[in-house]
Amino acid sequence: MEAKESVKNSLDTLHCKTRKALLWMNLSHEPFVVLYALLPFILRKDLNASLLQISVLTALRPVLPIFSFYWSANLTHRRHRLRSNLIGAWVLARIPFLLVPWIDNVWYIIFCCAVYEFFNKSGIPALIEILKINIPKQARETTYTFYFVLSFLESIFLGFFIGGLLDLYPHAWQLLCCVTALIGLSSFFYQMKVPIPQNPLPPQPSTSL
């Protein structure tokens, strides 16, 4: 009985900490996503970006994620690296944007976006593996769907808010790049708390009604 209770407590801890991390990752990511979608228009209007620069920026999204696969190659056989792989990709994707308020150069913004496009997809395989390990299939699907819908609703609200804010203060986008990147980086503290068991835990027994 004590062994079963210990296993149950371990499973509950895994589920709880993983769900908290996933929730905050989704919520903290949306402010940056909303602002990121506006960057081509902002660069064209405020920094007089050329059509070539806008074209390069637009081409980053379909091209760079192809190479992000190499960041997580053979990750399924290295369970101890799952968390560090996820955190590394999450942090590196956002760090360059912290300097945007002090570097108002179009090519630097393009560089920031290139880093983001590469690392934004790089951590997904690690995240998927962590969810598979720590959350049962049915609960995982329900949780992921609910958080996705919640993030979608958040993005609608933030779209109106950030759009209205930029109408009032057109040059605030530089500060917003830094602030939204910092909000996203705050997920680091939740990601660090997600336990990764080196040996698979037995499934939690279902209770009959």
Side-chain angles (χ1 to χ4, degrees):
M1 290 296 295
E2 292 182 0
K4 289 183 178 180
E5 188 67 24
S6 176
V7 170
K8 183 179 183 301
N9 291 336
S10 298
L11 288 168
D12 290 342
T13 300
L14 287 175
H15 300 171
C16 181
K17 290 186 177 181
T18 307
R19 282 179 175 140
K20 284 182 179 179
L22 181 62
L23 174 62
W24 188 244
M25 285 173 65
N26 279 272
L27 295 181
S28 66
H29 183 50
E30 285 306 313
F32 181 81
V33 169
V34 172
L35 182 64
Y36 186 83
L38 298 175
L39 278 181
F41 307 99
I42 292 173
L43 296 184
R44 182 66 175 168
K45 179 180 178 182
D46 287 6
L47 296 183
N48 297 317
S50 66
L51 292 178
L52 172 62
Q53 291 170 325
I54 298 298
S55 299
V56 172
L57 179 62
T58 305
L60 295 177
R61 185 183 295 271
V63 173
L64 286 179
I66 298 174
F67 300 98
S68 64
F69 163 79
Y70 296 100
W71 176 262
S72 301
N74 299 323
L75 196 59
T76 54
H77 304 294
R78 301 175 182 178
R79 180 176 290 193
H80 63 284
R81 293 184 57 185
L82 286 173
R83 185 170 53 200
S84 60
N85 185 282
L86 172 62
I87 293 174
W90 188 271
V91 171
L92 290 173
R94 291 157 178 80
I95 279 184
F97 286 94
L98 299 181
L99 299 178
V100 169
W102 296 276
I103 307 178
D104 57 347
N105 179 276
V106 176
W107 286 113
Y108 178 74
I109 304 297
I110 293 175
F111 165 75
C112 293
C113 294
V115 173
Y116 172 77
E117 290 294 347
F118 177 81
F119 286 108
N120 184 45
K121 302 295 184 183
S122 298
I124 291 180
L127 176 61
I128 292 174
E129 286 299 318
I130 291 173
L131 294 179
K132 287 168 62 177
I133 293 169
N134 290 353
I135 303 179
K137 184 176 186 298
Q138 185 174 358
R140 180 171 67 243
E141 293 174 352
T142 303
T143 300
Y144 191 88
T145 302
F146 175 71
Y147 290 171
F148 176 81
V149 173
L150 196 62
S151 300
F152 179 76
L153 295 176
E154 180 192 8
S155 66
I156 294 175
F157 169 77
L158 288 173
F160 287 108
F161 176 76
I162 293 178
L165 184 62
L166 291 177
D167 286 339
L168 294 174
Y169 306 100
H171 298 291
W173 67 270
Q174 293 174 293
L175 181 60
L176 285 175
C177 278
C178 181
V179 171
T180 55
L182 282 173
I183 293 174
L185 287 170
S186 66
S187 292
F188 166 84
F189 300 102
Y190 287 93
Q191 294 166 353
M192 282 292 296
K193 296 178 181 179
V194 176
I196 308 294
Q198 295 306 308
N199 297 312
L201 290 172
Q204 188 171 359
S206 58
T207 56
S208 56
L209 298 178

